Amino acid sequence: MKKIFAIFAAIAVSASGAFAANRLSSSVASMEGPEGYSFNKALSDRLGMEVYAPADASGAISFGAQEAAGDVTPSAIATVLANALMKDGVHSTMTAADGAPVHMVASADGLTVLAIAGDKKASRYAVVIFRDKAAAQASALLKSLKMK
């Protein structure tokens, strides 16, 4: 019996390591991030956003905020971005872990995904930009998004 317990304990410990989370946290939202991504102060200062990147700079995830203005909704912002800033961008929607609606715009080349998250009644929306390798994981990562 002790042998079986030891095997289950070993499996539990190894499984918890395999699913260890890398929680990215910003002033507007938090979400799970790819392994190896950490806060990059130099990029954050230069871009005016909270930026997380791996040491090899193969991708980046940036967090920012957009203040709500009148009747401009997150969906409208995403639509404008899809049509104007990202030629041939694809606009899609999903719901984050906390129930917040998320509007994503993926560039045609797949290297950039921009997400606007928040309820249309909110005073500000979270803006999350995924670049390069992070863009391929954007949809899965945004499912864990929690607004602050």
Side-chain angles (χ1 to χ4, degrees):
M1 184 60 127
K2 288 182 182 180
K3 191 174 189 177
I4 292 174
F5 178 73
I7 291 171
F8 282 125
I11 291 170
V13 169
S14 65
S16 68
F19 298 108
N22 181 21
R23 194 85 187 158
L24 309 181
S25 186
S26 77
S27 61
V28 293
S30 67
M31 71 177 192
E32 298 302 319
E35 189 174 322
Y37 277 59
S38 60
F39 183 73
N40 185 311
K41 184 169 176 19
L43 281 175
S44 297
D45 290 346
R46 190 170 39 163
L47 297 176
M49 297 181 82
E50 294 165 275
V51 181
Y52 289 82
D56 66 1
S58 60
I61 299 173
S62 306
F63 291 88
Q66 173 63 49
E67 298 300 320
D71 293 332
V72 179
T73 64
S75 176
I77 295 169
T79 300
V80 168
L81 292 171
N83 293 331
L85 299 178
M86 291 183 169
K87 184 157 175 65
D88 299 324
V90 178
H91 179 190
S92 60
T93 60
M94 63 183 294
T95 302
D98 67 356
V102 179
H103 299 272
M104 294 186 315
V105 179
S107 63
D109 63 8
L111 295 177
T112 304
V113 173
L114 188 138
I116 311 289
D119 186 272
K120 63 183 176 183
K121 297 174 190 168
S123 61
R124 69 178 181 166
Y125 313 122
V127 177
V128 187
I129 303 170
F130 300 82
R131 281 291 301 156
D132 300 325
K133 281 189 176 180
Q137 301 174 48
S139 182
L141 295 172
L142 285 166
K143 288 179 184 175
S144 69
L145 185 80
K146 291 184 181 177
M147 300 291 291
K148 290 185 177 177

